Amino acid sequence: MGMTITEKILAKAAQRKNVVAGETVWLNVDILMTHDVCGPPTVAIWKKEFGEQAKVWDKQKLVIFPDHYIFTKNAHANRNVSVLRQFAADYNLPNYYDVGTERYKGVCHLALAEEGFNVPGTVLIGTDSHTCTSGAFGMFATGVGNTDAAFILGTGKIWEKIPESMKFTFNGTLPEYLTAKDLILHILGDITTDGATYRAMEFDGEAIEAMNMFERMTLTNMAIEAGGMNGIIAVDQVTRNYLNDIGVTGYEELYSDKDALYHSKFNYDVSKIEPTVAKPHSPDNRDTVKNVEGTALTKCYIGSCTGGKITDFQFAAKILFGQKVKVPTFIVPASTKVAKQLDVETINGITLKEIFVNAGCVIAESSCAACLGGPSDTIGRSVEGDVVISTTNRNFPGRMGSKNSQVYLASPLTVASSAVTGKITDPRKFL
Amino acid sequence: MENLIVGKAYVLGDNIDTDQIIPAEHLVYSTSDPEELKKYGHFALSSVPIDKAGLPEGGKLFISGDNYQSEYNIIIGGSNFGCGSSREHAPLALQVAGVKVVIAESYARIFYRNAVDGGFLIPYEGTEKLNDKIKTGDKIEVDLIDNKIKNLNSGKEYQLRPLGSVYDIVNSGGIFNYARQNKMI
């Protein structure tokens, strides 16, 4: 029996020839990532459990990005960043990206890709559920809590149950009105928020092959919204080119065997998929944009690890070029690199930043910001009565702030089109 | 691990995500300062929509007034309990509020791992849907030896799924105790 790409990576990390779905193994972790919300409690558990002699198992393999609650006056939130800063100083950690310095990167999942920590064939564990994003690079990446992270911090090891794999194949050429976000929302409608619990979600097909790395990351990012343990896309020339550009070499490319066993397989013809939304209050509450068109909005939001990458802003700018927004619209670049790119990337000689400013959008500094609500002074946070359309990943009650607000999740094309009219709008109106 | 847990049930629906269990704005408090830790208990389950708080009627707050501990110490949930973010503050908040055991139809992976590896509470799965059979406030007895629960109000018994491969970690009180007992650390 052959193995899936996920099984092969996990077998390698468990120093085994093969593994089968359902068995529990101990893995050697290649990278541990944490941030300002889960880093401080992780360090506290590590100190308590390993005592005064606690040692970081491998400083090169520990990566810390403050990114969640950064631009706030909240004293407790700022204390968390201070804890990380002190921890990095005490242990002389090389991969700490401090707030208020040139090293500050913004949202961890995009920063991992930009800084070359996403290496095909490896195992990356993070204290954030969207750690699955890194799977776009042909690697195993998943989220854990603070105790598991503290255990890794001291030992470099974690137990995992080998997941069954589900395969999602997208055939055909993606039409200009669709993005990766529409595809993953479409899957969520089919399999629901626990349709992939404890399983790997593997993506392939012509439409995936034609996608750049950032769009692929949108797919793997939301694997967790289906309960997935990881999302994964095998390495191809697009991956190699991205890695080559940032100097990542010498990695192992692994591929699923033809006779690998899958839990299930899904095939989609992308020409038949419509611009898609998730209605309040769940990412699997799928509908077509057409069916909810005209819903009056109070806020539009383009940002986060899911929808704040340069490609997301290119999509949005295509719609917002020469237009004015009718409702407050927030542009939150996921990383500081993306923020700089807004000044460089152009459409008809006008920078994306100018396009957004001319349209009347508010451009915020790079961080997780209102995707998860955050402290009360977080920019773009939803308030009572808000109806928001957003490129983020979750619309649970209270996720973006007030539990008495409603959040629709959609692609950057749909959010930008809706910003122009003030009502949920099909992007085909503007394309 | 105790053999028997007796207490009052708090019943919830499907897909109780970690933002409902402990809203993100509260994740700023220290988890090691005993006074600040109480805030996690105080805000536990505070984002559950009021009509779904304490089924079947709803409208029953998990935490009343300024308290940080709940009068309920057994949670009966539906499917996909603890979905969403990886925040370990979720099982921690329930533990601080006094919850000993959660019985759900199914769990999201990270919440389940956190509950087990952190030793916060016991995450049992029912062998049938229970959140339509047990009412908030019912007195419940959980038998951890025979893996069953008894509703002391109705007298009915229900079988639970054995903890299986994570039993040893739960029984040790978490992954660190387990690793020490097995000379891994």
mmCIF file with all atom_site columns, all heavy atoms in Angstrom, chain A residues 223-235:
data_model
loop_
_atom_site.group_PDB
_atom_site.id
_atom_site.type_symbol
_atom_site.label_atom_id
_atom_site.label_alt_id
_atom_site.label_comp_id
_atom_site.label_asym_id
_atom_site.label_entity_id
_atom_site.label_seq_id
_atom_site.pdbx_PDB_ins_code
_atom_site.Cartn_x
_atom_site.Cartn_y
_atom_site.Cartn_z
_atom_site.occupancy
_atom_site.B_iso_or_equiv
_atom_site.pdbx_formal_charge
_atom_site.auth_seq_id
_atom_site.auth_comp_id
_atom_site.auth_asym_id
_atom_site.auth_atom_id
_atom_site.pdbx_PDB_model_num
ATOM 1  N N   . ALA A 1 223 ? -8.082  25.038 6.169  1.00 0.00 ? 223 ALA A N   1
ATOM 2  C CA  . ALA A 1 223 ? -8.296  23.606 6.451  1.00 0.00 ? 223 ALA A CA  1
ATOM 3  C C   . ALA A 1 223 ? -8.840  23.440 7.865  1.00 0.00 ? 223 ALA A C   1
ATOM 4  O O   . ALA A 1 223 ? -9.726  22.619 8.116  1.00 0.00 ? 223 ALA A O   1
ATOM 5  C CB  . ALA A 1 223 ? -6.995  22.833 6.278  1.00 0.00 ? 223 ALA A CB  1
ATOM 6  N N   . ILE A 1 224 ? -8.341  24.258 8.792  1.00 0.00 ? 224 ILE A N   1
ATOM 7  C CA  . ILE A 1 224 ? -8.791  24.164 10.186 1.00 0.00 ? 224 ILE A CA  1
ATOM 8  C C   . ILE A 1 224 ? -10.274 24.491 10.318 1.00 0.00 ? 224 ILE A C   1
ATOM 9  O O   . ILE A 1 224 ? -10.945 23.998 11.217 1.00 0.00 ? 224 ILE A O   1
ATOM 10 C CB  . ILE A 1 224 ? -7.942  25.082 11.117 1.00 0.00 ? 224 ILE A CB  1
ATOM 11 C CG1 . ILE A 1 224 ? -8.335  24.916 12.597 1.00 0.00 ? 224 ILE A CG1 1
ATOM 12 C CG2 . ILE A 1 224 ? -8.060  26.548 10.728 1.00 0.00 ? 224 ILE A CG2 1
ATOM 13 C CD1 . ILE A 1 224 ? -8.093  23.570 13.186 1.00 0.00 ? 224 ILE A CD1 1
ATOM 14 N N   . GLU A 1 225 ? -10.798 25.298 9.409  1.00 0.00 ? 225 GLU A N   1
ATOM 15 C CA  . GLU A 1 225 ? -12.235 25.639 9.487  1.00 0.00 ? 225 GLU A CA  1
ATOM 16 C C   . GLU A 1 225 ? -13.110 24.415 9.220  1.00 0.00 ? 225 GLU A C   1
ATOM 17 O O   . GLU A 1 225 ? -14.298 24.413 9.557  1.00 0.00 ? 225 GLU A O   1
ATOM 18 C CB  . GLU A 1 225 ? -12.565 26.774 8.513  1.00 0.00 ? 225 GLU A CB  1
ATOM 19 C CG  . GLU A 1 225 ? -12.553 28.146 9.128  1.00 0.00 ? 225 GLU A CG  1
ATOM 20 C CD  . GLU A 1 225 ? -11.328 28.454 9.966  1.00 0.00 ? 225 GLU A CD  1
ATOM 21 O OE1 . GLU A 1 225 ? -10.269 28.809 9.414  1.00 0.00 ? 225 GLU A OE1 1
ATOM 22 O OE2 . GLU A 1 225 ? -11.434 28.330 11.201 1.00 0.00 ? 225 GLU A OE2 1
ATOM 23 N N   . ALA A 1 226 ? -12.533 23.386 8.583  1.00 0.00 ? 226 ALA A N   1
ATOM 24 C CA  . ALA A 1 226 ? -13.257 22.116 8.411  1.00 0.00 ? 226 ALA A CA  1
ATOM 25 C C   . ALA A 1 226 ? -12.824 21.128 9.486  1.00 0.00 ? 226 ALA A C   1
ATOM 26 O O   . ALA A 1 226 ? -13.149 19.949 9.416  1.00 0.00 ? 226 ALA A O   1
ATOM 27 C CB  . ALA A 1 226 ? -12.981 21.544 7.024  1.00 0.00 ? 226 ALA A CB  1
ATOM 28 N N   . GLY A 1 227 ? -12.065 21.605 10.468 1.00 0.00 ? 227 GLY A N   1
ATOM 29 C CA  . GLY A 1 227 ? -11.561 20.727 11.523 1.00 0.00 ? 227 GLY A CA  1
ATOM 30 C C   . GLY A 1 227 ? -10.288 19.998 11.131 1.00 0.00 ? 227 GLY A C   1
ATOM 31 O O   . GLY A 1 227 ? -9.782  19.178 11.891 1.00 0.00 ? 227 GLY A O   1
ATOM 32 N N   . GLY A 1 228 ? -9.778  20.279 9.939  1.00 0.00 ? 228 GLY A N   1
ATOM 33 C CA  . GLY A 1 228 ? -8.609  19.555 9.411  1.00 0.00 ? 228 GLY A CA  1
ATOM 34 C C   . GLY A 1 228 ? -7.383  19.687 10.307 1.00 0.00 ? 228 GLY A C   1
ATOM 35 O O   . GLY A 1 228 ? -7.148  20.725 10.917 1.00 0.00 ? 228 GLY A O   1
ATOM 36 N N   . MET A 1 229 ? -6.614  18.604 10.380 1.00 0.00 ? 229 MET A N   1
ATOM 37 C CA  . MET A 1 229 ? -5.372  18.624 11.148 1.00 0.00 ? 229 MET A CA  1
ATOM 38 C C   . MET A 1 229 ? -4.342  19.418 10.359 1.00 0.00 ? 229 MET A C   1
ATOM 39 O O   . MET A 1 229 ? -3.594  20.209 10.926 1.00 0.00 ? 229 MET A O   1
ATOM 40 C CB  . MET A 1 229 ? -4.914  17.179 11.316 1.00 0.00 ? 229 MET A CB  1
ATOM 41 C CG  . MET A 1 229 ? -3.722  16.970 12.161 1.00 0.00 ? 229 MET A CG  1
ATOM 42 S SD  . MET A 1 229 ? -3.647  15.176 12.384 1.00 0.00 ? 229 MET A SD  1
ATOM 43 C CE  . MET A 1 229 ? -2.135  15.034 13.253 1.00 0.00 ? 229 MET A CE  1
ATOM 44 N N   . ASN A 1 230 ? -4.314  19.186 9.048  1.00 0.00 ? 230 ASN A N   1
ATOM 45 C CA  . ASN A 1 230 ? -3.413  19.946 8.191  1.00 0.00 ? 230 ASN A CA  1
ATOM 46 C C   . ASN A 1 230 ? -4.024  20.065 6.802  1.00 0.00 ? 230 ASN A C   1
ATOM 47 O O   . ASN A 1 230 ? -4.887  19.277 6.419  1.00 0.00 ? 230 ASN A O   1
ATOM 48 C CB  . ASN A 1 230 ? -2.033  19.271 8.105  1.00 0.00 ? 230 ASN A CB  1
ATOM 49 C CG  . ASN A 1 230 ? -2.077  17.908 7.442  1.00 0.00 ? 230 ASN A CG  1
ATOM 50 O OD1 . ASN A 1 230 ? -2.917  17.086 7.769  1.00 0.00 ? 230 ASN A OD1 1
ATOM 51 N ND2 . ASN A 1 230 ? -1.188  17.678 6.506  1.00 0.00 ? 230 ASN A ND2 1
ATOM 52 N N   . GLY A 1 231 ? -3.567  21.076 6.059  1.00 0.00 ? 231 GLY A N   1
ATOM 53 C CA  . GLY A 1 231 ? -3.882  21.198 4.638  1.00 0.00 ? 231 GLY A CA  1
ATOM 54 C C   . GLY A 1 231 ? -2.558  21.029 3.920  1.00 0.00 ? 231 GLY A C   1
ATOM 55 O O   . GLY A 1 231 ? -1.518  21.401 4.478  1.00 0.00 ? 231 GLY A O   1
ATOM 56 N N   . ILE A 1 232 ? -2.570  20.476 2.724  1.00 0.00 ? 232 ILE A N   1
ATOM 57 C CA  . ILE A 1 232 ? -1.273  20.263 2.076  1.00 0.00 ? 232 ILE A CA  1
ATOM 58 C C   . ILE A 1 232 ? -1.382  20.299 0.558  1.00 0.00 ? 232 ILE A C   1
ATOM 59 O O   . ILE A 1 232 ? -2.359  19.826 -0.022 1.00 0.00 ? 232 ILE A O   1
ATOM 60 C CB  . ILE A 1 232 ? -0.628  18.943 2.588  1.00 0.00 ? 232 ILE A CB  1
ATOM 61 C CG1 . ILE A 1 232 ? 0.866   18.901 2.221  1.00 0.00 ? 232 ILE A CG1 1
ATOM 62 C CG2 . ILE A 1 232 ? -1.379  17.722 2.096  1.00 0.00 ? 232 ILE A CG2 1
ATOM 63 C CD1 . ILE A 1 232 ? 1.682   17.932 3.067  1.00 0.00 ? 232 ILE A CD1 1
ATOM 64 N N   . ILE A 1 233 ? -0.371  20.914 -0.070 1.00 0.00 ? 233 ILE A N   1
ATOM 65 C CA  . ILE A 1 233 ? -0.253  20.963 -1.530 1.00 0.00 ? 233 ILE A CA  1
ATOM 66 C C   . ILE A 1 233 ? 1.188   20.572 -1.856 1.00 0.00 ? 233 ILE A C   1
ATOM 67 O O   . ILE A 1 233 ? 2.136   21.154 -1.300 1.00 0.00 ? 233 ILE A O   1
ATOM 68 C CB  . ILE A 1 233 ? -0.570  22.374 -2.072 1.00 0.00 ? 233 ILE A CB  1
ATOM 69 C CG1 . ILE A 1 233 ? -2.009  22.769 -1.717 1.00 0.00 ? 233 ILE A CG1 1
ATOM 70 C CG2 . ILE A 1 233 ? -0.338  22.436 -3.585 1.00 0.00 ? 233 ILE A CG2 1
ATOM 71 C CD1 . ILE A 1 233 ? -2.355  24.228 -1.995 1.00 0.00 ? 233 ILE A CD1 1
ATOM 72 N N   . ALA A 1 234 ? 1.360   19.583 -2.708 1.00 0.00 ? 234 ALA A N   1
ATOM 73 C CA  . ALA A 1 234 ? 2.698   19.081 -3.032 1.00 0.00 ? 234 ALA A CA  1
ATOM 74 C C   . ALA A 1 234 ? 3.512   20.140 -3.785 1.00 0.00 ? 234 ALA A C   1
ATOM 75 O O   . ALA A 1 234 ? 2.957   21.029 -4.444 1.00 0.00 ? 234 ALA A O   1
ATOM 76 C CB  . ALA A 1 234 ? 2.602   17.802 -3.859 1.00 0.00 ? 234 ALA A CB  1
ATOM 77 N N   . VAL A 1 235 ? 4.811   20.021 -3.688 1.00 0.00 ? 235 VAL A N   1
ATOM 78 C CA  . VAL A 1 235 ? 5.738   20.952 -4.351 1.00 0.00 ? 235 VAL A CA  1
ATOM 79 C C   . VAL A 1 235 ? 5.633   20.823 -5.866 1.00 0.00 ? 235 VAL A C   1
ATOM 80 O O   . VAL A 1 235 ? 5.507   19.721 -6.401 1.00 0.00 ? 235 VAL A O   1
ATOM 81 C CB  . VAL A 1 235 ? 7.186   20.636 -3.915 1.00 0.00 ? 235 VAL A CB  1
ATOM 82 C CG1 . VAL A 1 235 ? 8.193   21.434 -4.734 1.00 0.00 ? 235 VAL A CG1 1
ATOM 83 C CG2 . VAL A 1 235 ? 7.369   20.901 -2.427 1.00 0.00 ? 235 VAL A CG2 1
#
